[in-house]
Amino acid sequence: MERTRRLRASRTVRDMVRENHVRVEELIYPVFVIEGKNICNPVNSMPGICQYSIDRLGEELDRVVQAGVRAVLLFGIPEHKDEAGSGAYDDNGIVQQAIRFMKREEKYRELVVIADVCLCEYTSHGHCGLIRDGIILNDETLPLLAKTAVSYAKAGADMIAPSDMMDKRVEAIRGALDEGGFCQIPIMAYSAKFASSFYGPFRDAAHSAPGFGDRKTYQMDPANGREALREVEEDILEGADIIIAKPAMAYMDIIKEIALNYNIPIAAYNVSGEYAMVKAAAQKGWIDEKKIVMEILTGFKRAGAKMIITYHALEAAEWIKEENH
Ligand code: PBG
């Protein structure tokens, strides 16, 4: 008689048949660096997450190394913003400084430094591209994104992650990187990126909320799954090496569809709003944080993600090491 419970009878057998695992080496931890001195600003809506000035970044990076996490995704918060987001491609910009700091210090040098490429943290209007007559310009923005990517690569970034959602940015960035002698630097493209309300807390953390309107003319409509596959296909053709699906929890079907259709590594971005909800419920004592987080992260793996970008990374790494979830 068929009995599926036979393989669930003991922990040891359950462990043998377990299909998916969250591995510490697949976790990517987002880090916010801010211009200024002696800053460690907690982000209200993201308990446990702070903005760090370069002189205190080591505190956070020590925790990363200690946890065994090997990759960070860098976001910068500049002191000055302007219409053209010039802080993004300033060779002495905040992210460039942070990358150089990390590559200079022996204990952080091995960390994979992934630099998020976007203008929204650097523009006075908070949009991800240049603006004329209230319209977010596509082709005019591309050279600035390419310039930003090359500037990060020059500083020592190991990977470039464009999150702006302009058409043809991967092609523009790939071309500029190759021309600049950085043909070995991979592009991790935010391909399936939706115009989501789950980014709310991040915009507090990165000071990047749009000053007018929303991002719906460049980020995707949350209702569209087939369109996400079109974006992925386009980015692969343009030279993307890794595909990001974002947000992740309400978009697990998108991760699965990409996994079924393309032979390329996928990173699930477990975004700020998803993190905030879990933290808030946990603080109220309404959920078991550790179990819930591990269940969510395992869900991303089951859906087909290879890597997971998550603010839970440091805690999750400890829990994985304990191995009793
Ligand atoms: C920049 C960017 C955003 C996020 C990552 N890169 C915000 C946005 O698109 O508005 C969101 C990350 C998160 O919510 O954790 N374009």
Side-chain angles (χ1 to χ4, degrees):
M1 187 186 156
E2 167 82 15
R3 286 184 191 272
T4 47
R5 286 186 57 194
R6 277 185 204 115
L7 297 181
R8 294 179 205 139
S10 70
R11 160 118 199 228
T12 42
V13 173
R14 286 196 300 275
D15 283 351
M16 280 175 81
V17 299
R18 174 169 282 169
E19 297 173 33
N20 294 286
H21 299 85
V22 182
R23 300 166 63 221
V24 178
E25 49 276 48
E26 295 167 339
L27 298 177
I28 300 168
Y29 184 59
V31 172
F32 298 97
V33 281
I34 188 163
E35 236 156 332
K37 285 220 154 51
N38 193 24
I39 300 171
C40 165
N41 264 343
V43 180
N44 247 340
S45 49
M46 301 177 73
I49 302 295
C50 299
Q51 307 163 324
Y52 293 91
S53 51
I54 307 262
D55 57 342
R56 295 193 58 181
L57 186 57
E59 298 169 25
E60 181 80 326
L61 296 175
D62 286 342
R63 280 190 287 273
V64 173
V65 171
Q66 179 65 33
V69 169
R70 304 199 194 152
V72 297
L73 175 60
L74 286 186
F75 293 99
I77 304 131
E79 206 154 16
H80 301 289
K81 303 186 187 228
D82 58 34
E83 289 272 301
S86 61
Y89 40 91
D90 175 351
D91 283 339
N92 211 21
I94 180 66
V95 167
Q96 288 86 341
Q97 287 180 45
I99 299 170
R100 281 197 295 267
F101 166 75
M102 291 181 67
K103 293 302 171 186
R104 207 165 45 228
E105 298 282 319
E106 178 121 25
K107 52 185 173 167
Y108 310 132
R109 200 171 295 153
E110 293 299 308
L111 292 172
V112 178
V113 179
I114 309 168
D116 183 277
V117 169
C118 195
L119 298 186
C120 64
E121 297 102 317
Y122 304 91
T123 50
S124 42
H125 44 73
H127 277 288
C128 305
L130 291 174
I131 290 189
R132 195 186 311 127
D133 303 328
I135 300 221
I136 290 91
L137 303 172
N138 195 90
D139 298 9
E140 293 82 343
T141 301
L142 299 179
L144 303 185
L145 297 169
K147 207 166 149 183
T148 305
V150 170
S151 177
Y152 291 162
K154 267 199 271 175
D158 297 297
M159 235 183 248
I160 298 297
S163 69
D164 52 281
M165 287 301 277
M166 298 300 125
D167 286 329
K168 301 288 172 199
R169 79 277 169 69
V170 174
E171 182 179 79
I173 290 172
R174 184 71 271 160
L177 286 174
D178 290 356
E179 209 166 289
F182 300 107
C183 62
Q184 80 290 0
I185 304 263
I187 296 178
M188 182 188 252
Y190 288 76
S191 304
K193 178 169 178 180
F194 291 87
S196 170
S197 301
F198 283 98
Y199 308 150
F202 172 94
R203 292 178 188 168
D204 295 338
H207 302 169
S208 67
F212 68 91
D214 51 41
R215 303 209 199 288
K216 288 181 185 164
T217 67
Y218 43 108
Q219 299 178 352
M220 267 188 294
D221 182 344
N224 299 354
R226 288 158 57 81
E227 188 183 340
L229 292 186
R230 206 174 146 200
E231 284 282 359
V232 169
E233 183 157 337
E234 178 69 33
D235 282 1
I236 292 174
L237 290 173
E238 288 179 33
D241 300 281
I242 297 169
I243 296 296
I244 300 178
K246 174 185 172 196
M249 278 168 70
Y251 298 80
M252 289 244 201
D253 58 318
I254 304 287
I255 299 172
K256 180 91 187 179
E257 287 281 346
I258 300 171
L260 290 175
N261 284 285
Y262 299 101
N263 291 320
I264 191 160
I266 302 165
Y269 198 143
N270 179 210
V271 299
S272 57
E274 299 171 338
Y275 175 83
M277 292 193 304
V278 170
K279 281 287 173 188
Q283 281 181 353
K284 287 206 170 256
W286 290 348
I287 57 169
D288 180 330
E289 181 177 0
K290 173 167 142 183
K291 290 205 169 86
I292 291 267
V293 169
M294 290 315 298
E295 189 172 330
I296 291 169
L297 301 184
T298 306
F300 298 146
K301 295 302 302 276
R302 197 189 59 245
K306 185 74 194 74
M307 289 152 260
I308 303 170
I309 305 167
T310 180
Y311 303 95
H312 296 292
L314 304 191
E315 286 172 311
E318 299 298 340
W319 296 330
I320 292 166
K321 283 185 265 176
E322 292 169 17
E323 257 193 295
N324 54 0
H325 49 275

